[in-house]
Amino acid sequence: MNRPPASLAQSNPIPSSSPAFGTPVHPIGIRRTAPIPPPQQKPTTILPILLPPATLRPLAFRTFTKKHNLTLTSSALAALATFIGRHCGSGWREDGLAEGVLEEVAKMWKKESGVVIVEGDGETMKAILKLLEGGMSGGRVMSGKGGLLSRQTSFAFGDPSGAHDGGLVRPQLDSQNSFGLSGLEVQDNEDEDDKLKDPREWIKVVGAFEQPRLVYNVAKKHFDRSTSKPSLLPPPSHRTDYFRQRYHIVHQRILRNESFQTTSFSGKTQSNKITPISNLLGRSGTTHLLLGLLIITPTGTLALSDLTGSILLDLEHARAYPDENSAWFAPGMIVLIDGSYYEDYSTTAESALGNTGGIGGTIGGKFIGSLVAHPPCERRTTTLGIQEKSTDTLTGPAFGWTDFIGVGSERGTGARMRKLDQQILGNPDSPHHGNGKIAIASEINIDNPATLNSLRTLLNYYWSLPVEEYPMALILMGNFVSHAALSGAPNSGSIEYKEYFNALASVLSDFPQLIARSTIIFVPGDQDAWASSFSGGAAAPIPRKPVPELFTSRIKRVMAEANREVGGGGRGRKEGEVVWTSNPARLSWFGTAGEMVVFRDDVTGRLRRTALRFKNSSTGNGEEPTSTAGAPDSQHQPMHVDTATTTNSEDTTAIDPDTLTSRRLTKTLLDQSHLSPFPVNTRPLHWDYGSSLQLYPLPTALVIADTEAPAFALNYMGCCVMNPGRIVNGRRGDRARWVEFDVNGGKGVVRREG
């Protein structure tokens, strides 16, 4: 038998099994097999532990606050401690398991919510923890294949098992936005879809009892969410906290004003400095600038009070700045007073009453005022840090991460929402460009046939317009009856009250095309149920709840029938809706892009009854008060006014009385940053819900439905203030009167139909 060549034999690693069989000429190929993988290790078993929130707080503070600029509430810390203790076990600290979980939660919270305050009892945190729980293994967040951040898991749409195309799993999560894990292209696609939606999709009505209760933290210089549970019958200490919060908000606003900024040039300091009342002791004969609350002492004397004490006032020779006709000054308001302090070493009846003298009580002596002024106002853009132009720099406190009314923060959603606002309402080519207006009417006494005719005139005015120019919201404000409902008077029972709203529903049913494309908002007055049943039409405590649904069921049925008649909601159109809200209430559109405060109250009459009168008021020739030593000059109250407000050089004697009244009301409320700057015995209110009456930051628009003031619409410090007055104006003989707010232009106009 012939042997194979040596080279061929050597190249073949497989020898012949027997000499009887020769090695083939062509070698047999080696069969290569994959190596046997080592046995997979089972996931580490986690033994749950009970992790106290206080133990987790230092690590959570470093991750959320220092790294991501987020603020953890106690509820969020407790939820995270429970989650980490259950899924990370005893190795949460040594193995670094908790740090990975906290990092992932912080990223997902910023991506999904954008709110700086992390709440643990909300749906967002629960959804984040539920999503994390499905992507954890051995106490760690898995970010690879099959983990939390994988696009080939059960988060994908379609086949949950993962359909295969050519041996590869098709990533279908790209079209899903789950807590911001789907990429930037998803947001772009959503923006394209949002452009086609009805602008009413971004309208939100926030009642006074639903608004977040925020308190100003003096130490940290930002707003915190109140942790106490609100009550309609709170302890007396909450009344003190209410006025303390008002003072803190005004004080921090003043200290950021340019006139109160301390700047040194060549060693000379030029600024207005506020002196605490307690610092007046031992400084008799000196001039000071005080900031405090005007009060009436038990002996009937006017005094000024701040957080350090009180001082009796002598305003016999004082002047109002810039003049008495510019604003009202009444007890319950926080004002600036410049003057001189003169100590009285004898014991007076005022200081001895109740043994409240000294620091923290009534300071002996008197403060003789020379000038009295309101605190300077602050624009909304300054408070929120909004850049009006791309070249502008952020100024002011910039509370951009604070969610004041529960629609998101400016820094979190403001830029995207303003972009949508411009694309949907600001773009002339948009089909909804003409819908950017809101109609407001007040004093809808539906028990008066003339009022129903006026309301029909208002609805017919908008019904005659093209569909593209219908208003996106219609606000109807009380009182809905001319006498107190359910008060025991004739024709004021519950049956009659319900019949009145049935008559209103009959009027609305005649305009199905209009109401099916609008959001109708009802705001009650003092004579509406249920508050009128025990107040008899007098000033009931505010805020007050909406009209009970018991009386309004017919109007909701009319809206449902109108939606069916028009065809329901479709692409580019939202169904009409009816909202019964509180008094006051807030209306927002496109998140923080726009905010309107709606308040029904006769504020003007209350201001006229309680306001102070100054003997040495200005002569009306436009002359400014002269500055004395230590007295505030033009820097004390910078008048940043728009064209519709009074200027210092304007002759107030030549102004129409109605215009003068509207300007005084506007400046008084916005400078005070409060809807009801009165003592609680003058205007009762619920102390725990006092934050809903704050006008800080300034809203985009403010509606004060005051029947004792003329109808007006003007702008001051970037805020449009409007008063629709009565819908039936018997003095002018108009059939209907209301105000219309232009969302795009930020201005209002009084409309009349004769």
Side-chain angles (χ1 to χ4, degrees), residues 436-441 458 461-462 596 701-703 711-715 720-725 736-743 745-753:
K437 50 191 174 185
I438 301 174
I440 308 106
L458 184 154
Y461 171 83
Y462 290 107
M596 175 183 289
L702 170 63
V703 178
F712 65 87
L714 55 86
N715 287 66
C720 180
V721 183
M722 299 168 286
N723 176 29
R737 181 182 64 180
W738 70 95
V739 295
E740 181 182 287
F741 177 70
D742 183 10
V743 176
K747 295 183 179 181
V749 60
V750 179
R751 296 200 177 276
R752 295 182 172 90
E753 285 292 314

Side-chain angles (χ1 to χ4, degrees), residues 22-266:
T23 302
V25 177
H26 301 285
I28 301 175
I30 301 176
R31 185 178 181 182
R32 302 183 181 275
T33 59
I36 300 176
Q40 293 184 352
Q41 296 181 356
K42 296 182 179 180
T44 305
T45 302
I46 298 297
L47 297 179
I49 64 171
L50 184 61
L51 180 61
T55 307
L56 183 64
R57 182 179 289 112
L59 181 59
F61 177 79
R62 289 197 301 268
T63 304
F64 278 82
T65 304
K66 290 190 175 182
K67 188 173 181 180
H68 293 279
N69 294 326
L70 296 175
T71 301
L72 267 179
T73 60
S74 57
S75 60
L77 183 62
L80 290 173
T82 304
F83 181 84
I84 292 175
R86 182 185 301 120
H87 295 89
C88 297
S90 58
W92 68 273
R93 175 181 294 172
E94 290 79 4
D95 300 337
L97 303 179
E99 187 174 357
V101 173
L102 294 175
E103 181 72 19
E104 197 66 38
V105 171
K107 291 180 180 179
M108 296 170 68
W109 178 272
K110 293 178 67 175
K111 193 71 175 179
E112 175 66 20
S113 177
V115 182
V116 69
I117 301 177
V118 181
E119 295 288 346
D121 50 0
E123 296 297 330
T124 303
M125 177 60 71
K126 294 179 181 178
I128 290 176
L129 296 181
K130 184 177 180 181
L131 184 62
L132 277 177
E133 185 177 1
M136 293 188 65
S137 177
R140 300 183 184 276
V141 180
M142 306 302 295
S143 58
K145 182 177 180 180
L148 175 66
L149 302 183
S150 174
R151 298 191 178 187
Q152 300 142 359
T153 59
S154 58
F155 299 109
F157 291 135
D159 185 7
S161 61
H164 289 73
D165 292 334
L168 297 177
V169 180
R170 182 174 64 248
Q172 300 178 353
L173 192 58
D174 292 341
S175 60
Q176 181 186 16
N177 185 8
S178 177
F179 293 95
L181 300 179
S182 59
L184 297 177
E185 66 277 4
V186 177
Q187 183 175 350
D188 296 337
N189 295 333
E190 288 184 352
D191 291 344
E192 293 297 330
D193 295 338
D194 291 342
K195 296 178 185 178
L196 305 176
K197 292 183 179 180
D198 194 309
R200 294 189 297 113
E201 294 282 356
W202 284 274
I203 289 181
K204 182 178 181 180
V205 180
V206 182
F209 299 94
E210 305 167 359
Q211 184 177 338
R213 299 171 56 245
L214 303 179
V215 294
Y216 183 74
N217 192 320
V218 181
K220 298 181 180 179
K221 292 183 172 54
H222 67 76
F223 288 89
D224 294 332
R225 190 180 293 267
S226 177
T227 57
S228 61
K229 185 177 181 180
S231 172
L232 296 180
L233 298 173
S237 60
H238 289 202
R239 175 179 176 179
T240 306
D241 295 337
Y242 161 71
F243 286 105
R244 182 183 292 112
Q245 281 299 313
R246 278 190 58 193
Y247 182 87
H248 283 324
I249 292 177
V250 174
H251 185 254
Q252 60 90 21
R253 189 186 75 194
I254 290 178
L255 294 182
R256 288 192 312 274
N257 189 273
E258 295 180 357
S259 302
F260 294 84
Q261 296 287 332
T262 302
T263 57
S264 299
F265 299 96
S266 302

